[in-house]
Amino acid sequence: MSTLNDDPASAVPIWPAFVIPVLRVLEDGRILHRKDVFDAAASIAGLTERAREETLRSGGYRYEQRLGWALSHLAKASWIDRPSRGHYMITDGGRDALVQYPDGFDYAQAREVFTPFWPNGPRKSAGSEAARAELVPADIGILDPIEQIEDGISRIEAEVGEELLRRLRESHPDFFEQAVVDLLLAMGYGGAEQRGKRIGGTGDEGIDGVIDQDALGLDRVYIQAKRYKAGNNISRETIQAFVGALHGFGATRGVFLTTSAFTPAAVSYTSNVQSRVVLIDGERLIALMIKYRVGVQVRNTYTAVEVDADFFD
């Protein structure tokens, strides 16, 4: 069976690869709960531990989302039935499908078979395959609607992230130092009173900002921020100087943020010093700024709905 996967970064096959595993699980005629179907089908499909642990932006497991999409298509095709809430069983049509498609589906085959059952899709008598293809977007069967939304958001955030990183690199050093202080405050540091400040400038002794870690200010996090171009990576010597500055303040915790990256030697050094130093490179910095809405604003908000099964019980 083809282990279809549209996203090379994901170890989870797209939904057509789960069609036959789901039917195999139900083949003996048992009525199984959705969760039991998921567990058994994932095993038949040979999902790795990494694949089972992948999550969506919403927090759910990716493989369960795609298995759920496979269940939806199977139900629309009447290859499975739902005799009670959350429980499934195979139909005669499903058994026929196991005989007809013993090797499973690649995407093109799944598209051809299930297109007539998609919402607002053409009927079987709609004409040629070319005519049907015009009515159904080419990527409609690759991801389920939730994943299509999340994929679109990821692409938007990638574009915004590039622009955000460019602007930070071109900003004044004072602005960048204040931006990273604002970020840590947005992440929840600074205590109940949000106490944090930029202290960079002449005579800053190697520290650009300081933030209270707890409500009473009993412990503090010291900040160093370097606004570097891509490829101008932070060296071990620079981190050593930062650790020295921390010792000068009697501090044990520090965060070093940059718009570039860190050399392997710099990363290795931080794991061997007594002070707790967290390194945040440009990629992670941008991801955190988008997550905590620092330097960005929400343009549109959409809500996704589903049938409330409890309403009908």
Side-chain angles (χ1 to χ4, degrees), residues 142-154:
I142 296 177
L143 302 175
D144 78 7
I146 297 299
E147 288 198 74
Q148 289 187 54
I149 292 171
E150 294 196 352
D151 180 64
I153 292 173
S154 294

Side-chain angles (χ1 to χ4, degrees), residues 92-142:
D92 290 340
R95 291 191 175 89
D96 291 342
L98 282 172
V99 174
Q100 187 174 358
Y101 307 103
D103 298 325
F105 293 87
D106 59 20
Y107 170 64
Q109 194 172 22
R111 175 181 169 80
E112 180 179 358
V113 170
F114 291 100
T115 291
F117 306 106
W118 286 334
N120 302 319
R123 300 181 182 275
K124 291 183 179 180
S125 60
S128 66
E129 173 62 21
R132 292 198 298 270
E134 290 182 0
L135 296 176
V136 182
D139 61 350
I140 192 170
I142 296 177

Side-chain angles (χ1 to χ4, degrees), residues 25-43:
V25 171
L26 300 171
E27 186 177 13
D28 61 6
R30 290 180 298 164
I31 299 174
L32 296 179
H33 188 271
R34 180 186 181 94
K35 179 62 176 174
D36 296 326
V37 173
F38 284 178
D39 291 342
S43 296

Side-chain angles (χ1 to χ4, degrees), residues 249-260:
F249 280 87
T252 59
R253 293 177 176 83
V255 181
F256 198 113
L257 305 98
T258 182
T259 52
S260 60

Side-chain angles (χ1 to χ4, degrees), residues 220-266:
R220 289 182 163 185
V221 177
Y222 288 79
I223 304 164
Q224 178 66 273
K226 292 295 184 184
R227 186 182 48 86
Y228 285 175
K229 294 181 179 180
N232 189 10
N233 296 341
I234 304 298
S235 67
R236 170 178 173 150
E237 291 73 21
T238 302
I239 301 301
Q240 283 178 313
F242 179 51
V243 171
L246 292 178
H247 291 167
F249 280 87
T252 59
R253 293 177 176 83
V255 181
F256 198 113
L257 305 98
T258 182
T259 52
S260 60
F262 299 92
T263 65

Side-chain angles (χ1 to χ4, degrees), residues 23 26 30-32 37 71 74-84 86-92 94:
L23 292 177
L26 300 171
R30 290 180 298 164
I31 299 174
L32 296 179
V37 173
L71 282 178
L74 286 166
K76 290 180 184 299
S78 297
W79 290 2
I80 61 173
D81 194 12
R82 194 178 81 159
S84 61
H87 290 78
Y88 296 87
M89 63 180 293
I90 196 169
T91 65
D92 290 340

Side-chain angles (χ1 to χ4, degrees), residues 45-310:
L47 258 63
T48 63
E49 194 64 27
R50 175 195 161 198
R52 291 173 184 258
E53 292 176 355
E54 278 189 31
T55 57
L56 300 165
R57 298 168 62 93
S58 57
Y61 288 110
R62 188 182 301 277
Y63 85 94
E64 290 187 347
Q65 184 77 13
R66 293 186 177 179
L67 271 163
W69 194 229
L71 282 178
S72 295
H73 282 276
L74 286 166
K76 290 180 184 299
S78 297
W79 290 2
I80 61 173
D81 194 12
R82 194 178 81 159
S84 61
R85 179 187 169 195
H87 290 78
Y88 296 87
M89 63 180 293
I90 196 169
T91 65
D92 290 340
R95 291 191 175 89
D96 291 342
L98 282 172
V99 174
Q100 187 174 358
Y101 307 103
D103 298 325
F105 293 87
D106 59 20
Y107 170 64
Q109 194 172 22
R111 175 181 169 80
E112 180 179 358
V113 170
F114 291 100
T115 291
F117 306 106
W118 286 334
N120 302 319
R123 300 181 182 275
K124 291 183 179 180
S125 60
S128 66
E129 173 62 21
R132 292 198 298 270
E134 290 182 0
L135 296 176
V136 182
D139 61 350
I140 192 170
I142 296 177
L143 302 175
D144 78 7
I146 297 299
E147 288 198 74
Q148 289 187 54
I149 292 171
E150 294 196 352
D151 180 64
I153 292 173
S154 294
R155 283 187 277 120
I156 290 171
E157 290 187 352
E159 293 176 2
V160 170
E162 290 180 4
E163 175 67 10
L164 190 58
L165 190 58
R166 182 188 67 79
R167 289 183 176 236
L168 288 174
R169 285 173 174 159
E170 295 176 354
S171 67
H172 190 278
D174 292 354
F175 178 90
F176 181 59
E177 291 166 3
Q178 185 60 52
V180 298
V181 170
D182 292 343
L183 171 61
L184 293 176
L185 290 174
M187 292 174 66
Y189 294 96
E193 298 176 3
Q194 288 280 282
R195 289 184 294 189
K197 62 180 180 178
R198 184 185 73 84
I199 58 175
T202 304
D204 63 13
E205 300 181 27
I207 298 297
D208 294 325
V210 60
I211 292 182
D212 290 346
Q213 187 171 354
D214 56 82
L216 298 177
L218 298 175
D219 205 351
R220 289 182 163 185
V221 177
Y222 288 79
I223 304 164
Q224 178 66 273
K226 292 295 184 184
R227 186 182 48 86
Y228 285 175
K229 294 181 179 180
N232 189 10
N233 296 341
I234 304 298
S235 67
R236 170 178 173 150
E237 291 73 21
T238 302
I239 301 301
Q240 283 178 313
F242 179 51
V243 171
L246 292 178
H247 291 167
F249 280 87
T252 59
R253 293 177 176 83
V255 181
F256 198 113
L257 305 98
T258 182
T259 52
S260 60
F262 299 92
T263 65
V267 175
S268 176
Y269 174 74
T270 59
S271 63
N272 295 315
V273 295
Q274 186 173 2
S275 300
R276 173 61 172 155
V277 177
V278 175
L279 305 181
I280 298 179
D281 62 15
E283 182 178 351
R284 188 179 179 194
L285 172 63
I286 294 306
L288 290 172
M289 291 183 71
I290 291 175
K291 179 178 180 179
Y292 291 96
R293 301 294 188 257
V294 175
V296 299
Q297 60 184 346
V298 176
R299 186 176 66 183
N300 294 305
T301 301
Y302 302 94
T303 54
V305 299
E306 64 180 359
V307 172
D308 182 0
D310 293 333

